[in-house]
Amino acid sequence: MDKDFIVKLNLFLLNNKHNHFTNQSKVCLRVIERIYRRVNEGFYFGDVKVDFGECLIIDGNHRYIAYSLANIEFGMVPSVKNFCDKSPYKEIKDIVVDIENDWDLNNPTTIRFCTDDFINNDIEKYIRK
């Protein structure tokens, strides 16, 4: 676990003005860390889905944080909130960062994101254009 990255992430979450809200209460440190490293290596993992009327991130909280932390431009595509997405929404600064668990490692669907093999197998798909 990279303690410098944890400090950098926490300072970013707490001290920056975030223009969007979330309904997600937790994010995973290791997922953000992997996305952050990879985007700094020139990769991109898709736009973030946002309900623009509510300024609410619908899909892509980890990407939103990692892209913003890496200070790269990223796309936001329109989406609509779910019926269960009720205000008041959470501010990004109030998200809890799970430093204990690797959500990808513990999920059979996303475990493939723990290594860079998925990128190497389809590099054109993930290269930032």
Side-chain angles (χ1 to χ4, degrees):
M1 183 176 328
D2 184 345
K3 295 202 186 306
D4 290 337
F5 185 79
I6 295 171
V7 170
K8 181 178 183 164
L9 175 60
N10 283 328
L11 289 173
F12 170 78
L13 292 173
L14 293 173
N15 296 330
N16 284 295
K17 170 79 174 115
H18 303 283
N19 297 324
H20 294 84
F21 299 96
T22 184
N23 263 340
Q24 192 161 325
S25 57
K26 275 187 174 182
V27 290
C28 176
L29 169 71
R30 288 178 183 86
V31 171
I32 294 170
E33 194 171 26
R34 278 192 292 274
I35 295 169
Y36 175 81
R37 175 182 56 81
R38 291 166 177 160
V39 299
N40 280 315
E41 293 172 351
F43 298 105
Y44 188 75
F45 303 101
D47 297 342
V48 175
K49 294 180 182 177
V50 175
D51 182 320
F52 290 110
E54 301 284 331
C55 294
L56 180 67
I57 299 168
I58 304 299
D59 179 41
N61 285 280
H62 290 86
R63 283 176 283 136
Y64 176 87
I65 293 168
Y67 293 162
S68 299
L69 183 61
N71 200 30
I72 68 155
E73 287 186 30
F74 60 95
M76 292 190 197
V77 296
S79 189
V80 290
K81 68 180 184 174
N82 203 312
F83 178 74
C84 62
D85 290 333
K86 304 269 188 215
S87 64
Y89 307 123
K90 295 168 189 68
E91 293 194 37
I92 299 296
K93 69 179 181 69
D94 295 328
I95 291 178
V96 173
V97 178
D98 182 348
I99 63 171
E100 299 298 322
N101 301 293
D102 187 330
W103 295 2
D104 287 339
L105 188 61
N106 295 312
N107 182 331
T109 305
T110 60
I111 193 169
R112 67 189 186 98
F113 299 133
C114 292
T115 70
D116 291 340
D117 292 345
F118 78 99
I119 295 172
N120 296 331
N121 292 334
D122 197 1
I123 202 154
E124 287 301 315
K125 177 179 178 179
Y126 297 104
I127 285 286
R128 188 175 9 188
K129 295 171 175 88

